[in-house]
Amino acid sequence: MENFETLRPVGRLEQYSTSRHQAGFYLNVAISATYFLPDSFVLPVKDYVYQASEAAIAKHPSLSAIVADDHTQDPYFVRLPRIDLDQVVSFQDRKPGLLGTEADGEPTPDLDLQTLLATQHNTPFRAPNAFWRLCILLDIEDERQFTAAFVYHHAIGDGTSGKAFHQTFLRALGTIDSPDQTKSIIKPPRLPLLPNIEHMHPMSLSLPYLAKKIFQAKIYSRRPTGLWTGSKVLIPSQTRLRLVPFSKLLVAAIRDRCRQEGTTITALLQTIVARSIFAHIPPEFTRLACAGALSSRRWLSDVITDESMGVWVQDYEETYSRAIVAPSDGSFPWAEAKRSRKTIQSVLKMKGKNASTSLLQFVDDFQEELCLSKVGKDRDKSFEVSNVGVLDPQRDPNLPSIKGVVFSQCASVMGNAIEVSVVTGGDGCLVLAISWQQGVVKADLVNEIIESTKQDLYSIEAV
């Protein structure tokens, strides 16, 4: 790669992902969407997919960026001289439909996509190949319908970046007018990579916050009594995945109820997942630690928008007590869902100050300190809820449109025992992608948690 154009050094938050990937601790993230083409689109799907992919590469410089020297403490981005779509894009047939429908109108999981994503989330990227893949599931009964799973390295994009890719892809599909010019070898544009978050934001730390973190890291950090976090950190990693869809009618009812109760769907899901975990783990576990993800784009400059591809994100923490979240009388703890919303609001008001990602400046060896040193030790967090919101569809019937959408992640070896990734598609359906590392939690436990989560959501709708 010494002949590749050097772009810029990898930022600290980006290096968090390059080091995890290099150590095999976290491989990728994905956003998948089902596209519907109008009857006027008469060429093979491959022609449209390739031309839309070319348009995405032209707009987003991160799609032609890979990481050099990711095994060192000084990795940097280089630009691929060309991208071969025959290597990046794959096609396979699937059963009809992204989400089936049961007799009662509830969507059923897309098992073809679930299988594909489980495979992709266990497949790393290898330089000098591109750090993304586009996996196309073709509907054998409807040539104008296909599902596109965009799988990418977390160092070139956060969750919102996956939405940005699909928005670019969708617009490009609607403007294709020269189908006879389909190319497989794409020469990337000479665009600079967008700046990393450290360049865009001061990421300041207050002295009390910093002192507390230093004390916990260097002197003493007591593990909370009764905290459940699955097994100790173990390697190697094998991601398991389940997709759990919910109907447009249910989602609308839940959203309305959240407004009435002064909370949000994200805060509600955190509370429900905590309740569901408590319902199926031994009673001596009385505490859960939840991690959430927030986009930092809202307080960056106008250069970074929701249609930019890059890594501008931070996390936040929330804790749940069995006695409060799962009271003995069985009542639903709306006060907890409201409290969780207030936690998120308080983090947003800080506008990136005292974010844990700012502590990465004190890491000397990312692979050793953040990954390898954790093996065999207790993890810090129980579960994560990461909600990237809504991927809006194209509503013009004469243009291509998006309906079902899925946001998913690989398991995080030293991270949360259970990851819940959330997105709402243009069809109004919300999908939970539940991922976990094999051996960290049992599949039976995850299945029980999913059933309890569904019961809580359905019961809220029924009120």
Side-chain angles (χ1 to χ4, degrees):
M1 293 190 290
E2 61 271 11
N3 295 325
F4 290 4
E5 177 190 358
T6 298
L7 295 173
R8 64 165 173 80
V10 171
R12 291 192 300 272
L13 181 55
E14 295 163 339
Q15 190 173 356
Y16 177 57
S17 288
T18 63
S19 62
R20 289 189 298 166
H21 182 279
Q22 195 274 335
F25 276 49
Y26 185 101
L27 300 183
N28 52 47
V29 60
I31 290 195
S32 311
T34 290
Y35 288 80
F36 293 82
L37 303 179
D39 293 339
S40 58
F41 283 58
V42 296
L43 294 171
V45 166
K46 180 177 179 179
D47 289 345
Y48 298 116
V49 168
Y50 272 36
Q51 291 199 46
S53 297
E54 181 180 3
I57 292 169
K59 178 176 174 59
H60 300 293
S62 61
L63 293 176
S64 53
I66 62 172
V67 178
D69 286 353
D70 63 351
H71 61 289
T72 73
Q73 300 311 305
D74 299 296
Y76 57 97
F77 286 109
V78 297
R79 192 186 328 268
L80 291 170
R82 68 176 196 167
I83 295 177
D84 185 350
L85 294 181
D86 289 338
Q87 294 182 353
V88 174
V89 185
S90 61
F91 297 85
Q92 68 183 73
D93 290 336
R94 57 158 305 150
K95 300 183 182 70
L98 173 70
L99 296 174
T101 302
E102 295 177 349
D104 61 1
E106 285 302 319
T108 55
D110 178 0
L111 298 181
D112 287 337
L113 181 59
Q114 180 174 289
T115 299
L116 181 148
L117 289 172
T119 299
Q120 288 296 316
H121 284 315
N122 284 299
T123 306
F125 297 99
R126 298 292 184 219
N129 298 319
F131 274 21
W132 59 278
R133 298 184 285 267
L134 190 62
C135 308
I136 307 296
L137 289 173
L138 298 170
D139 193 314
I140 60 176
E141 292 187 357
D142 185 352
E143 295 180 351
R144 304 274 68 80
Q145 175 179 328
F146 64 91
T147 301
F150 174 56
V151 185
Y152 52 104
H153 194 305
H154 211 337
I156 68 166
D158 52 22
T160 303
S161 297
K163 291 168 57 181
F165 173 89
H166 281 289
Q167 287 161 342
T168 302
F169 193 87
L170 178 63
R171 277 196 299 271
L173 285 175
T175 59
I176 291 172
D177 55 8
S178 303
D180 57 337
Q181 297 180 2
T182 301
K183 298 182 295 185
S184 60
I185 304 297
I186 308 300
K187 185 175 177 59
R190 297 182 65 84
L191 295 173
L193 268 186
L194 290 171
N196 59 52
I197 192 169
E198 296 88 3
H199 182 82
M200 302 287 293
H201 191 278
M203 302 185 75
S204 58
L205 298 166
S206 69
L207 286 177
Y209 176 86
L210 183 58
K212 175 184 175 182
K213 293 299 180 180
I214 291 175
F215 181 84
Q216 291 174 338
K218 303 294 185 181
I219 302 175
Y220 179 68
S221 179
R222 183 179 66 86
R223 182 176 174 84
T225 303
L227 176 64
W228 178 89
T229 55
S231 80
K232 294 182 184 297
V233 175
L234 57 88
I235 52 175
S237 177
Q238 179 75 16
T239 293
R240 301 285 303 276
L241 178 75
R242 274 200 60 187
L243 303 182
V244 188
F246 296 93
S247 71
K248 176 181 180 179
L249 288 176
L250 173 66
V251 174
I254 295 296
R255 185 175 290 113
D256 289 344
R257 185 68 188 281
C258 283
R259 291 193 185 107
Q260 294 171 15
E261 301 289 348
T263 188
T264 62
I265 286 182
T266 300
L268 174 68
L269 286 172
Q270 289 180 191
T271 306
I272 287 179
V273 171
R275 278 169 55 83
S276 300
I277 294 174
F278 277 132
H280 301 289
I281 59 176
E284 60 263 29
F285 293 109
T286 57
R287 186 182 181 92
L288 294 172
C290 169
L294 289 174
S295 173
S296 302
R297 298 166 191 241
R298 66 198 85 202
W299 48 73
L300 300 180
S301 77
D302 293 339
V303 174
I304 308 301
T305 71
D306 280 352
E307 295 205 10
S308 303
M309 283 195 66
V311 186
W312 306 284
V313 69
Q314 71 169 79
D315 60 4
Y316 64 91
E317 300 177 2
E318 185 61 279
T319 59
Y320 294 96
S321 162
R322 179 189 288 272
I324 300 174
V325 176
S328 56
D329 64 4
S331 60
F332 190 83
W334 282 106
E336 280 293 277
K338 191 171 183 177
R339 179 182 68 85
S340 298
R341 182 199 181 193
K342 289 182 178 178
T343 297
I344 297 170
Q345 288 176 321
S346 67
V347 175
L348 289 173
K349 287 179 182 177
M350 296 288 284
K351 295 185 177 181
K353 182 178 180 180
N354 287 350
S356 63
T357 48
S358 302
L359 298 170
L360 293 172
Q361 63 186 292
F362 302 108
V363 176
D364 293 322
D365 187 322
F366 276 71
Q367 288 88 342
E368 177 60 32
E369 293 177 40
L370 301 181
C371 300
L372 302 177
S373 66
K374 307 291 187 182
V375 176
K377 298 180 180 178
D378 290 321
R379 64 190 72 243
D380 298 325
K381 300 293 185 297
S382 312
F383 69 99
E384 172 187 328
V385 174
S386 181
N387 186 355
V388 296
V390 180
L391 181 58
D392 291 325
Q394 164 60 253
R395 301 187 185 280
D396 187 333
N398 298 313
L399 293 174
S401 62
I402 286 176
K403 291 190 178 178
V405 180
V406 171
F407 166 44
S408 57
Q409 303 179 66
C410 68
S412 177
V413 169
M414 75 291 193
N416 312 281
I418 297 172
E419 297 192 11
V420 182
S421 304
V422 189
V423 68
T424 303
D427 54 359
C429 292
L430 179 146
V431 179
L432 306 181
I434 317 292
S435 53
W436 70 99
Q437 183 184 347
Q438 184 169 318
V440 171
V441 293
K442 294 182 178 179
D444 287 347
L445 173 60
V446 175
N447 292 335
E448 290 170 343
I449 292 168
I450 289 172
E451 290 308 309
S452 293
T453 298
K454 291 167 66 174
Q455 289 173 13
D456 261 349
L457 287 170
Y458 292 143
S459 66
I460 290 170
E461 179 199 30
V463 172

